[in-house]
Amino acid sequence: MLLAAGSINSPKLLEHSGIGRPQILKDLGIDVLRESPGVGENLQDHLQIRTVFKVRNTPTLNERANSLIGKIGIGLEYALRRTGPMSMAPSQFGLFTKSDKALETPDLEYHVQPLSTDKLGDPLHPFPAITVSVCNLRPESVGTCHVTDRDVNRQPDIRLNYLSADNDRRVAVKSVQQARKIMTAKVLEQYEPEEILPGPTCRTDAELLEQVGNIATTIFHPVGTCKMGTDPNAVVDPELKVIGLEGLRVIDASIMPRIVSGNTASPVVMIAEKAADMIKRA
């Protein structure tokens, strides 16, 4: 049997099946089938800090999406030519770089979008602006994901604990400072960038860190809640078999012991392909 419900629902289903931390299961009246203290632990994610800059002398999707004529134009462009905003990925530009020159490999990833909002889900701004998102690729903050009810339809308690690690807070501040510096590049002068978020009044590290908590959001890369390994907190072994059980493998991002330094989609495909090879050999 294969379990591939993702880093939130795979530990949830294991716990509802009696596999997990005994105290959590007993408190909910769930019979303990297998003690596995790592289930729902080790939750990691990339935190995306969304800096926003108002621009001039260039159009952005803000104006088109806020206009009825603009929306019609976007729809027609895609319907007739399969081009335009509806054919594009959300981010038009990406960049891997370092928060510190002393690092051997990049620890920051940028996603730049020709649109902006105060927060995800809000309407786009009525003025032309871009979003310069940046995330720490190697966060040290670790959270948990556990069930809180015997009803399998209830969502688990998800605690990401973003920025709980000292180094994550340091990198968050440095990444905002770096984004600001990028927007002062001479080639961008013609667009007269004006910082909207976090806002030019945030100058000290403490002020920036506080505002990061207001403008940052998940980048939807949760991993680690059924981690692979041989230590006491490992949930699956190196062949992705749930330790202590026969006939059950977990095959999704939850088995990653540590989050990868980039997007998680391709690594998850690799995990699935590797698992397929192991299953065929069995």
Side-chain angles (χ1 to χ4, degrees):
M1 184 178 296
L2 306 180
L3 177 58
S7 295
I8 303 303
N9 285 316
S10 283
K12 169 188 166 182
L13 292 174
L14 288 176
E15 288 182 330
H16 276 296
S17 301
I19 304 165
R21 289 180 170 248
Q23 195 58 55
I24 290 175
L25 304 182
K26 290 176 181 177
D27 287 346
L28 296 175
I30 298 173
D31 293 335
V32 179
L33 174 66
R34 167 68 185 178
E35 180 178 345
S36 184
V39 172
E41 299 290 306
N42 193 48
L43 177 60
Q44 300 154 61
D45 188 22
H46 290 136
L47 181 65
Q48 177 176 246
I49 303 172
R50 299 172 50 260
T51 69
V52 173
F53 294 84
K54 189 175 183 178
V55 293
R56 296 175 177 83
N57 307 318
T58 184
T60 70
L61 286 180
N62 286 0
E63 303 96 288
R64 294 189 71 183
N66 282 318
S67 160
L68 178 59
I69 294 177
K71 290 177 181 177
I72 293 172
I74 289 172
L76 287 174
E77 190 174 0
Y78 182 75
L80 298 176
R81 299 197 297 269
R82 291 296 189 266
T83 60
M86 291 183 66
S87 68
M88 302 187 306
S91 300
Q92 303 306 297
F93 177 76
L95 169 71
F96 288 90
T97 187
K98 302 176 183 179
S99 64
D100 189 322
K101 292 181 180 179
L103 294 173
E104 184 176 351
T105 58
D107 67 331
L108 296 180
E109 181 178 8
Y110 281 83
H111 297 89
V112 181
Q113 302 101 26
L115 50 81
S116 65
T117 65
D118 284 335
K119 65 177 185 293
L120 293 183
D122 277 8
L124 297 183
H125 288 137
F127 48 78
I130 64 171
T131 300
V132 182
S133 298
V134 56
C135 71
N136 178 0
L137 293 174
R138 292 193 286 276
E140 297 176 5
S141 300
V142 176
T144 60
C145 177
H146 292 293
V147 296
T148 60
D149 194 289
R150 294 189 64 176
D151 183 357
V152 73
N153 293 313
R154 292 286 296 273
Q155 290 302 308
D157 178 49
I158 304 169
R159 298 178 182 267
L160 276 304
N161 294 334
Y162 292 125
L163 303 177
S164 58
D166 289 341
N167 191 59
D168 289 357
R169 294 192 289 272
R170 181 188 66 80
V171 173
V173 170
K174 293 190 73 172
S175 64
V176 173
Q177 293 170 335
Q178 186 182 88
R180 284 174 163 174
K181 185 176 180 180
I182 289 173
M183 294 305 294
T184 64
K186 188 172 182 61
V187 70
L188 297 176
E189 287 181 356
Q190 60 183 310
Y191 304 116
E192 303 177 31
E194 175 187 344
E195 183 179 329
I196 304 298
L197 294 176
T201 59
C202 295
R203 306 311 308 177
T204 68
D205 288 2
E207 290 170 340
L208 284 175
L209 188 59
E210 180 179 3
Q211 190 64 357
V212 162
N214 295 327
I215 64 175
T217 182
T218 177
I219 204 169
F220 307 106
H221 291 169
V223 307
T225 49
C226 301
K227 80 167 189 173
M228 176 181 67
T230 56
D231 62 279
N233 287 319
V235 177
V236 300
D237 66 18
E239 293 206 343
L240 308 187
K241 297 177 181 178
V242 176
I243 295 171
L245 295 179
E246 293 291 333
L248 178 62
R249 280 183 164 98
V250 179
I251 303 175
D252 56 37
S254 70
I255 66 95
M256 296 183 188
R258 291 292 302 164
I259 196 166
V260 294
S261 298
N263 296 51
T264 52
S266 294
V268 170
V269 172
M270 181 276 296
I271 290 169
E273 291 181 345
K274 181 69 174 178
D277 290 340
M278 292 188 290
I279 292 169
K280 287 189 292 185
R281 288 200 307 267

